[in-house]
Amino acid sequence: MRMSELSERSGVPVATIKFYQREGLLPPGQAVNPRQTAYADEHVVRLRLIRGLVQVLGASIEQVRHVVEVIDAPGLTVLEAMTRATHAIPPAGPDGPEGGSEVRSTNATSKLLIDLGLRHAPQSPHVEHLDAALSLAAEVGIEIDTEQMRSYVAAVRDVARADFDRIPWQDPKEAVQFAVLGTVLYEPVLLALRRLAHAEVGMGMSDGT
Amino acid sequence: MRMSELSERSGVPVATIKFYQREGLLPPGQAVNPRQTAYADEHVVRLRLIRGLVQVLGASIEQVRHVVEVIDAPGLTVLEAMTRATHAIPPAGPDGPEGGSEVRSTNATSKLLIDLGLRHAPQSPHVEHLDAALSLAAEVGIEIDTEQMRSYVAAVRDVARADFDRIPWQDPKEAVQFAVLGTVLYEPVLLALRRLAHAEVGMGMSDGT
C-alpha cells in the first residue's frame, strides 16, 4: 500500500509517520520505484502500537523506541519479550514515590505478596509501583488491609487469565505486540468498570437488592 | 493542635496548608487567642484528602474544591455524595477521546453493559470513559471481546464489594471521604497487581504449573 493508505489505515497522519521513520521506529518499506515505496500490514500494526502507547500513556519517543527494540529483538521467547516490554512502560497514574513520601520497603510489599500467594520477581518494577501506591494510601489514612488485598489479587488473576486467553500465540511478534497494547490499553477499561461496579453496589445498597 | 503539628501529621508543608486555607478548602480552626489557632483531627483528615487527590491525580484546585464542596454539602445521603464526588474525579490514565479518534456511541457501550448485566446510569461519566477506552483499543486492533469483558466485570464486582466492606459507615462524612480516596488511591494498586498477575500467569505457562 502507499503512504496515503498506510496513514488512513493506521489513523496516523503522514507527517507523523515520516517523523517515526526518521526516528527509526518503523521498518523500511519496499522501494517499488525511485519515487514510490510500498508498505505492508506490518507497518499498520507497528503504527497502531506506537499510537496506542503515545495516545494512552503519553509515552515518550524513547519509551516507544525501547518497546519496539524489545519486540524486534531476536532470540527472546514471547514471554521474555512481554516481560521486558511491559517493564519499560510505567502504568498510567501516580508517578510513584515523591518528595516527602516515606516509602515502605519493597521488601515489605514483596512479603505481603508472598503471604497472599502471588508468585512474583521481587525486583520487578511493578512491585515498586505497588509499593508506592500502598504507601500513599497508608499515608492518607486509608491503608489497604490484607482481606481487601486478597480480593484484589483474586480479581486480577481472573483478569490476567482472560487477557492471556486473547493473545494470538501462533504469531510470536504479534503476540508480544498484543500483550504490550493490552497491558496498557485495557488498564483504563478496568478502572472505568471498577467505578461502574461501585455505582452498582451502591445502587444495590440503596434499594435493598 | 497547632499548625506545626497539623503539618507534621498530615504530611503537608505549612505554606501549602496556608494556601489551601486561603482557597477555602479547609474549615477554619478555633481561635485560642489572637495569635494562636487550634486545629483538630478533621483538619488532618481533610489535608490527607487533598494530598491524595493532588499527589495521585494531579488534581487541580478546582477539582479539589468540587470534591470538598460535595463532602461538605448538607442533605446528601452518603451514596449520593460518593457518586457526585467520584464523578468529579476523572480516572488516572488516558484523556479520553482525542482529535482523530472515532468515538463509539456511548449507547453502544451502555448496551454492552446491559448485555453483561451491569446495572448503571447510562449518562454516567464512567460510561464515557469506558467508551473512550474501548474505542481506542478497537482502533489499534485489539478490540476487547464479550468473554473478556465478562471476566473484567466479574472481577471489578468483587473488587467493588471489597472496597465497600472497608467504608466506615458509622461516620457519614468520613465514609464519603474514604470512598473518594479509595476510588482514586486504590486504582494504581489494582493496576500494579494486574501486571504482577500477568507475570505470574506467564511464569506458570513457562514452567508448566
Side-chain angles (χ1 to χ4, degrees), chain A residues 96-104 135-136 139, chain B residues 7-8 10-13 51 55:
Chain A
E98 283 188 33
S101 292
E102 238 177 79
V103 179
R104 293 151 48 105
S135 299
L136 190 55
E139 280 171 45
Chain B
S7 169
E8 195 173 317
S10 63
V12 178
R51 191 176 156 204
Q55 202 163 102

Side-chain angles (χ1 to χ4, degrees), chain A residues 25-84:
Chain A
L25 301 179
L26 273 186
Q30 186 158 17
V32 178
N33 66 49
R35 280 187 315 276
Q36 202 186 317
T37 306
Y39 298 94
D41 283 345
E42 64 166 331
H43 296 93
V44 178
V45 173
R46 173 60 52 91
L47 283 170
R48 284 175 172 170
L49 170 73
I50 300 174
R51 190 177 157 204
L53 294 175
V54 170
Q55 200 162 105
V56 175
L57 279 182
S60 67
I61 290 297
E62 282 318 306
Q63 286 174 319
V64 172
R65 190 191 312 285
H66 187 87
V67 171
V68 162
E69 279 171 3
V70 170
I71 291 178
D72 290 342
L76 292 179
T77 69
V78 172
L79 287 168
E80 280 166 352
M82 279 180 189
T83 304
R84 292 202 198 173

Side-chain angles (χ1 to χ4, degrees), chain B:
Chain B
M1 76 192 81
R2 292 179 181 218
M3 175 62 89
S4 55
E5 189 184 343
L6 177 61
S7 169
E8 195 173 317
R9 283 187 48 199
S10 63
V12 178
V14 170
T16 310
I17 296 178
K18 289 187 171 165
F19 168 68
Y20 293 152
Q21 284 181 318
R22 287 195 301 276
E23 291 288 332
L25 302 179
L26 274 184
Q30 188 157 18
V32 179
N33 65 49
R35 278 187 316 277
Q36 202 187 317
T37 307
Y39 298 93
D41 283 344
E42 64 167 331
H43 295 92
V44 178
V45 172
R46 173 59 52 93
L47 283 170
R48 286 174 170 170
L49 170 73
I50 300 174
R51 191 176 156 204
L53 294 176
V54 170
Q55 202 163 102
V56 175
L57 279 182
S60 67
I61 290 298
E62 282 319 305
Q63 286 175 317
V64 172
R65 188 191 313 284
H66 187 88
V67 171
V68 161
E69 278 171 5
V70 170
I71 292 177
D72 291 343
L76 292 180
T77 68
V78 171
L79 287 168
E80 280 166 352
M82 278 180 191
T83 303
R84 291 201 199 176
T86 57
H87 279 192
I89 315 168
D95 294 331
E98 283 188 32
S101 291
E102 237 176 77
V103 180
R104 291 153 49 105
S105 119
T106 57
N107 283 341
T109 299
S110 188
K111 193 182 165 303
L112 173 63
L113 292 174
I114 290 169
D115 289 346
L116 293 169
L118 187 75
R119 292 173 64 199
H120 65 282
Q123 72 284 10
S124 158
H126 308 319
V127 175
E128 245 173 82
H129 287 127
L130 176 61
D131 188 63
L134 292 176
S135 299
L136 191 55
E139 279 171 47
V140 301
I142 59 161
E143 186 161 20
I144 204 161
D145 70 13
T146 311
E147 261 333 286
Q148 194 174 8
M149 277 295 276
R150 212 178 289 285
S151 303
Y152 272 58
V153 167
V156 293
R157 271 189 178 133
D158 290 343
V159 162
R161 281 190 211 104
D163 289 339
F164 267 67
D165 283 347
R166 287 289 311 285
I167 292 178
W169 297 103
Q170 64 286 0
D171 179 336
K173 202 168 233 177
E174 214 182 309
V176 175
Q177 171 134 345
F178 195 102
V180 171
L181 281 175
T183 296
V184 175
L185 294 177
Y186 297 158
E187 286 182 347
V189 172
L190 189 63
L191 296 188
L193 285 173
R194 171 171 173 263
R195 292 198 182 197
L196 285 165
H198 282 153
E200 188 189 52
V201 173
M203 278 190 252
M205 290 179 61
S206 63
D207 64 19
T209 57

